[in-house]
Amino acid sequence: MLARLRSVWRNLRHRDSVDRDLDDEVRAVFDILVDEKRRGGMTAEQARRAATLELGRQHAITQQVREERAGASLDAVIKDIRYGARMLRANPGFTLVVVLSLAAGIGANSAIFSIANAMLLKTLPIAEPQNVHVMRFESRLPMTGRVSYVFFDRLRSGFPTRDGLAGMSRVTRMRMGSGGDAQMAAVQLVTGEFFGVLGTAPQLGRMLTPDDNRTMGAHPVTVISDAFWRSRFNAAPDVVGREVTFNNVRFTIVGVAPPGFSGVWLESPAEAWIPVMMQADVKYTQNFSAENADFLKPWIPQDGMRWLDVLTRSADPAHAEAALNAAYRPELLAEVDRITDVQQRAVALDRRIVLEPFGSGFSNLRSQFRAPLFALLGMVGLLLLIACANTANLLLARSTSRQREMAVRLSIGASRGRIIGQLLIESLLLGALAAAVGLAIAPLVSELLVRMTIGVESGPLPFSVGIDSRVVMFTIVITLLTSFLFGFAPAWRATDLSLSTALKSTGRSTHQGARLNLSKMLVVGQVALSLFLAVGAGLFARSFNNLVSQPLGVEDQVLSVTINPNLGGYQLPELASLYQRIIERVEAIPGVQSATIAMCGVMTGCRSNSDGIQITGYVPQPGEQLMFQENRVGPNYFSTVGMTMAAGRGFEPREIGSDAAVAVINETMARKYFNGRDPIGQRFGYDHPNEFEIIGVVRDARVNTVREAVFPMVFHKIGATPSYVGTMQVRAAGDPALAGAAIRRALNELEPRLPVDRITTIGALAANTLRQERLIARLTTVVGILALALASLGLYGLMAYAVKQRTAELGVRFALGAPRPRVMWMVFRESLLLVGAGLAIGVPLVLAAARLIGPMLFDVNPNDPAVMVIAMAVLAAVGAWSGYLPAWRASRVDPLVALREE
């Protein structure tokens, strides 16, 4: 015990000795400050008071050094954080500028990453999503992955585990309820194994089972989603057993899916799931391909109706793939035996089933936005780098005013590493504040971007883009990296000084040349990166402008009216009379010039492709697949939508509704399959090449999307036995909105049971197909503007600081008779040199990266010299203005004031 007491006493004596040494050093610094103040003209009392106030700020430093001498601890880190917070509070203007500039970069990165996370990284909320796969066909010729129910049943029978395969349709919108209270609901048809393969358990009731898919039309049961249960049934606990109507069929609710599960389509969440055996009852007729089949008859028994995607769950996909191919092989060989052409037989024999990962589900947006998202992530990453360079410059300038503080720390024994660590904590506090602001705005920005992308102006989004743990971790990582990136160099420079000179200095930097050289390098880097972003913004803006000005080949003010006679319960014999009545009624509306009907409306996303056609006189290449897009149209279709004839004629009124085997093709099909031959009078067909006569060639029109190249197309007329159509096209004079409201009223009065959905112009539908391009153009423009603003701020800050540091020098120059314009040019020339250096570095950077964004551009050369020159001119102008203000201020320096300060 005695030995321990002696040890404690020795430690205490040592600490007291250290403290006394520190106090002696502080007193020595105090005396130096008093002498300096007195030499500046103060009285002894004024000098002591000023030195006391200045040294009082160093008391916390002394305490920190004592803590460091006694050994680092958590308390020391906490005190560093408190001290850093006090320093930031003492400089609110500096803190605000830094936090806002960093928050713009961090918030933009978090927002874009949250979208990338939702689209590319998130998996389905199911058990072991990595074990779920979707079936596809691998072939030399393009093939869809869809299969018929008959094929699915044969494949399932030959699969080792019967519950290992599940079939599903695409999500479709169905009428829920009837009459004036009818609403729309997103419904998916699935086999009984669907939920078992996904590993999804109910929160109420049960899920669908194989017993719910035994007999056509005999299983009117449904499982609803959690969101549907809460929004339509107010989360009623007794919802199981209640009934809901889909497309005039009453279904009994047998279960509620777990929270967060809304199906397997990212942008098309399902609200209810029903058995595939109910296909004919609910009149599901979407996303299919038919071969020797009739889509108007029940699909379940037809082997040629391919409409189901197939899922499987397996921890060993290679084994499951082999089992599927073994089950598929006999059917493939039977199909090959029916092919007489040797080359076609060889192509068919190469076909096999492959399994692809399905843990993230289906998404059209994912494939469309993968490349743009990576491009945007790169651009906002560069924006963050510019913000970091800007912050580093501000910290370097601020370090000048803290030189004496750093000198006192070093003079009383603090290690350089200890001070650098404390300054890095201040940088981390700035980064944390910016991250908090960035995370606060990221959800709003990401939701706005998604709404712009998918065209949902109000209501809930189809998928969540909020802040989850992955986004938070991403933000933390980039905050730590950026805090070190912009904080280390200023901290290193701030502690690299001469103690004796710093303690006697008047505030000018003791390492001004090194500091300015580093700041100049940062500004040059900002200019180079800003040029890259400005050129990117210009390229995307020009690409979008090219798309907007692209001629469609149709009139953009023509109205597109979505109708669905099938859901209205109209039978085939009624259709001819129905079409005639609604066309006559709409054309009777004042201001309506003409109206027609079509199976696929312009820009509505409806696409009907056919293959296997035969054309008289055309010899296909080995393995070539003849394909075209087709549409069935009513009277006056081409004149109504604004298409013009290039050759021949359109359909005559007497031909509409008749059995005349005539067709109209577009220019692209004429060039591809009748190159050098007059297509008028030529024939083509499906079963034999003489089935249809070509009577006209219509000029090319973009009927799918604005960006998509024109595809070979065939127009058929509505025949004697008309099929279901989905669109009315109406040409009207005056305001399209008023005409649309009149059309809706007229159709509701004439045919109350005819579902009339969306009424909009072709121009609005075309603009809707450019959501992706519009989003990228707007975002890159905003990022480019922010980059220019940050680069301008960085250049202005550097030159303003340089002028302040050279005040005495400028005063001497003016005192010796230097003309003010010459001094102004001297300062201004330096800023121009910095901008020029940044542009010189940025040009090769832009040229090297141009090919990466080239595929995302439309009719724009990624090395477009005009865009490059304009971006350089704008950046040079912004840089010149940023350098002019400090140069003008330098020319206004008063020599007497400058010399007195010295």
Side-chain angles (χ1 to χ4, degrees):
M1 175 65 79
L2 182 60
R4 180 167 190 137
L5 288 175
R6 286 175 179 170
S7 175
V8 171
W9 173 248
R10 281 196 301 271
N11 289 337
L12 289 175
R13 287 184 61 191
H14 176 68
R15 171 171 284 187
D16 288 341
S17 175
V18 170
D19 290 346
R20 281 196 300 272
D21 291 341
L22 292 175
D23 290 337
D24 290 342
E25 293 182 32
V26 172
R27 278 195 297 272
V29 173
F30 178 77
D31 292 338
I32 293 173
L33 291 176
V34 170
D35 290 342
E36 185 181 298
K37 303 296 181 185
R38 293 192 66 180
R39 285 196 304 271
M42 292 185 181
T43 65
E45 172 125 13
Q46 289 173 334
R48 291 179 65 82
R49 184 181 299 110
T52 301
L53 290 174
E54 187 167 340
L55 198 58
R57 192 164 61 94
Q58 311 303 328
H59 177 68
I61 302 172
T62 304
Q63 296 300 323
Q64 286 186 345
V65 173
R66 285 174 174 164
E67 187 72 37
E68 194 263 343
R69 286 279 185 88
S73 66
L74 180 60
D75 290 339
V77 175
I78 293 176
K79 287 183 178 180
D80 279 350
I81 294 175
R82 289 175 178 171
Y83 179 75
R86 286 198 302 271
M87 294 300 295
L88 297 182
R89 245 189 346 259
N91 299 274
F94 167 82
T95 303
L96 182 63
V97 171
V98 170
V99 168
L100 289 182
S101 61
L102 286 175
I106 293 176
N109 277 270
S110 298
I112 300 299
F113 180 79
S114 67
I115 299 176
N117 176 47
M119 287 189 177
L120 306 178
L121 302 179
K122 277 187 177 178
T123 57
L124 296 173
I126 59 177
E128 299 177 331
Q130 71 278 5
N131 290 339
V132 179
H133 297 79
V134 64
M135 190 185 83
R136 288 285 179 263
F137 288 101
E138 187 176 79
S139 173
R140 286 194 234 167
L141 297 178
M143 287 189 65
T144 176
R146 298 188 300 267
V147 301
S148 67
Y149 182 82
V150 177
F151 180 90
F152 167 78
D153 194 42
R154 289 197 298 264
L155 205 62
R156 180 177 55 181
S157 300
F159 201 62
T161 56
R162 185 174 177 82
D163 294 340
L165 289 183
M168 63 179 186
S169 73
R170 300 295 171 95
V171 178
T172 185
R173 290 176 61 81
M174 295 186 180
R175 297 182 76 192
M176 189 182 74
S178 58
D181 296 331
Q183 297 176 336
M184 302 301 289
V187 182
Q188 186 177 26
L189 283 70
V190 298
T191 64
E193 300 84 5
F194 177 75
F195 294 104
V197 166
L198 292 182
T200 304
Q203 63 172 314
L204 288 178
R206 66 174 179 85
M207 304 306 249
L208 298 180
T209 68
D211 289 336
D212 295 316
N213 276 283
R214 302 296 186 193
T215 307
M216 286 194 303
H219 305 282
V221 293
T222 181
V223 171
I224 61 175
S225 70
D226 176 78
F228 187 86
W229 173 50
R230 296 181 184 279
S231 63
R232 306 293 176 97
F233 294 95
N234 199 27
D238 61 344
V239 69
V240 175
R242 293 193 188 185
E243 291 186 339
V244 61
T245 300
F246 295 130
N247 286 356
N248 301 318
V249 179
R250 301 179 71 86
F251 287 83
T252 301
I253 299 172
V254 297
V256 179
F261 180 79
S262 56
V264 297
W265 274 91
L266 177 68
E267 62 270 24
S268 300
E271 295 178 295
W273 295 267
I274 63 176
V276 296
M277 286 294 173
M278 302 302 296
Q279 175 272 326
D281 299 80
V282 296
K283 298 180 175 63
Y284 174 86
T285 56
Q286 292 185 355
N287 201 65
F288 69 92
S289 55
E291 182 180 357
N292 298 323
D294 186 350
F295 81 98
L296 296 177
K297 295 179 180 179
W299 290 5
I300 297 298
Q302 298 190 69
D303 203 3
M305 290 299 305
R306 298 184 289 270
W307 60 294
L308 294 176
D309 290 292
V310 179
L311 303 180
T312 182
R313 172 178 285 274
S314 176
D316 186 0
H319 177 74
E321 192 174 285
L324 285 172
N325 278 294
Y328 173 54
R329 191 68 179 175
E331 182 155 335
L332 175 62
L333 293 176
E335 180 181 345
V336 170
D337 286 341
R338 296 191 293 270
I339 301 176
T340 57
D341 186 89
V342 176
Q343 292 180 335
Q344 292 183 2
R345 286 168 60 90
V347 170
L349 279 173
D350 281 344
R351 192 186 311 156
R352 61 187 297 270
I353 291 176
V354 295
L355 294 179
E356 297 177 355
F358 193 70
S360 298
F362 277 135
S363 175
N364 290 327
L365 284 178
R366 185 176 296 132
S367 58
Q368 294 173 9
F369 276 83
R370 185 181 298 274
L373 274 176
F374 283 125
L376 290 175
L377 278 172
M379 297 189 79
V380 295
L382 293 179
L383 178 66
L384 184 56
L385 279 179
I386 295 174
C388 288
N390 214 32
T391 302
N393 254 338
L394 292 173
L395 288 174
L396 283 168
R398 181 169 175 259
S399 67
T400 302
S401 64
R402 302 181 67 181
Q403 284 183 42
R404 186 168 293 165
E405 172 191 337
M406 299 299 110
V408 171
R409 286 171 177 263
L410 293 170
S411 67
I412 59 181
S415 68
R416 188 179 182 186
R418 178 79 171 85
I419 296 176
I420 289 176
Q422 198 279 321
L423 292 176
L424 285 177
I425 285 180
E426 290 185 24
S427 300
L428 185 59
L429 288 175
L430 288 170
L433 289 173
V437 176
L439 280 176
I441 64 175
L444 302 177
V445 174
S446 57
E447 180 175 334
L448 176 62
L449 295 181
V450 171
R451 290 189 184 279
M452 292 170 57
T453 300
I454 62 179
V456 177
E457 297 181 359
S458 60
L461 290 174
F463 57 92
S464 172
V465 290
I467 304 300
D468 62 7
S469 59
R470 189 182 283 117
V471 177
V472 172
M473 286 302 300
F474 171 81
T475 306
I476 291 174
V477 169
I478 64 172
T479 300
L480 292 174
L481 291 176
T482 54
S483 298
F484 180 81
L485 188 62
F486 70 73
F488 181 76
W492 182 268
R493 290 294 185 190
T495 56
D496 181 21
L497 44 79
S498 170
L499 294 185
S500 59
T501 306
L503 290 172
K504 297 177 182 179
S505 69
T506 59
R508 291 187 300 274
S509 175
T510 62
H511 41 67
Q512 178 180 338
R515 199 217 72 81
L516 285 178
N517 286 337
L518 178 58
S519 294
K520 290 176 182 178
M521 292 171 59
L522 290 173
V523 169
V524 168
Q526 284 181 277
V527 173
L529 294 178
S530 298
L531 177 64
F532 179 85
L533 295 179
V535 170
L539 290 174
F540 282 115
R542 187 164 185 180
S543 174
F544 178 69
N545 183 67
N546 289 344
L547 284 168
V548 171
S549 58
Q550 183 78 6
L552 299 179
V554 294
E555 296 289 339
D556 59 0
Q557 291 303 303
V558 172
L559 286 167
S560 180
V561 184
T562 304
I563 59 177
N564 198 327
N566 188 26
L567 294 186
Y570 293 91
Q571 302 301 314
L572 289 178
E574 303 177 78
L575 294 182
S577 175
L578 170 69
Y579 297 155
Q580 182 179 358
R581 289 198 306 271
I582 61 177
I583 290 175
E584 290 176 352
R585 180 65 183 88
V586 170
E587 287 184 333
I589 298 174
V592 171
Q593 299 172 347
S594 64
T596 188
I597 54 175
M599 179 180 69
C600 290
V602 178
M603 299 289 173
T604 60
C606 172
R607 184 194 303 265
S608 177
N609 293 332
S610 295
D611 58 8
I613 60 173
Q614 302 176 58
I615 300 175
T616 301
Y618 182 82
V619 180
Q621 298 297 318
E624 180 184 2
Q625 189 177 28
L626 276 62
M627 295 189 65
F628 64 88
Q629 186 173 342
E630 63 181 358
N631 197 0
R632 297 188 180 276
V633 301
N636 304 316
Y637 176 81
F638 301 112
S639 60
T640 298
V641 300
M643 292 183 180
T644 57
M645 302 302 299
R649 62 176 178 85
F651 300 118
E652 296 179 354
R654 60 179 177 79
E655 293 172 325
I656 302 295
S658 71
D659 291 326
V662 293
V664 174
I665 64 174
N666 67 351
E667 291 177 308
T668 297
M669 184 164 179
R671 285 192 298 270
K672 184 171 183 178
Y673 296 122
F674 298 95
N675 188 21
R677 296 186 295 152
D678 183 5
I680 305 301
Q682 302 290 338
R683 292 184 171 273
F684 71 95
Y686 302 89
D687 298 325
H688 55 81
N690 295 319
E691 194 172 353
F692 292 95
E693 179 187 356
I694 298 173
I695 61 172
V697 177
V698 70
R699 297 196 184 279
D700 283 339
R702 297 177 182 269
V703 297
N704 298 319
T705 69
V706 176
R707 188 184 185 102
E708 183 179 332
V710 179
F711 199 70
M713 192 161 189
V714 171
F715 294 90
H716 295 288
K717 60 179 180 55
I718 299 294
T721 306
S723 58
Y724 290 105
V725 301
T727 304
M728 282 193 72
Q729 310 274 201
V730 182
R731 176 185 288 270
D735 186 357
L738 296 178
I743 292 170
R744 187 182 295 275
R745 286 194 303 270
L747 291 179
N748 287 338
E749 292 171 0
L750 179 68
E751 300 291 336
R753 62 183 176 130
L754 176 66
V756 179
D757 195 0
R758 181 176 55 184
I759 300 180
T760 188
T761 63
I762 289 178
L765 293 172
N768 199 42
T769 69
L770 296 177
R771 293 192 302 262
Q772 171 184 326
E773 290 80 4
R774 183 181 295 106
L775 173 66
I776 295 175
R778 289 177 177 176
L779 277 183
T780 52
T781 299
V782 171
V783 170
I785 292 174
L786 286 175
L788 288 175
L790 289 175
S792 173
L793 180 62
L795 180 60
Y796 172 80
L798 171 65
M799 300 312 300
Y801 171 78
V803 168
K804 182 178 179 181
Q805 292 298 303
R806 299 173 65 181
T807 299
E809 175 199 336
L810 296 175
V812 172
R813 288 178 179 273
F814 290 138
L816 295 177
R820 292 186 181 274
R822 181 182 297 174
V823 173
M824 182 176 178
W825 169 246
M826 178 185 68
V827 177
F828 184 57
R829 180 182 58 189
E830 186 174 357
S831 65
L832 292 182
L833 288 175
L834 293 177
V835 173
L839 294 178
I841 295 174
V843 168
L845 178 67
V846 171
L847 294 177
R851 56 185 175 182
L852 297 178
I853 63 174
M856 291 181 281
L857 302 175
F858 180 81
D859 200 21
V860 176
N861 182 359
N863 294 322
D864 191 328
V867 174
M868 179 78 76
V869 170
I870 292 173
M872 293 175 66
V874 170
L875 195 54
V878 171
W881 177 251
S882 301
Y884 172 79
L885 294 177
W888 179 84
R889 188 172 299 165
S891 69
R892 294 297 182 269
V893 170
D894 188 334
L896 294 178
V897 174
L899 293 174
R900 188 179 298 117
E901 288 182 1
E902 180 63 16

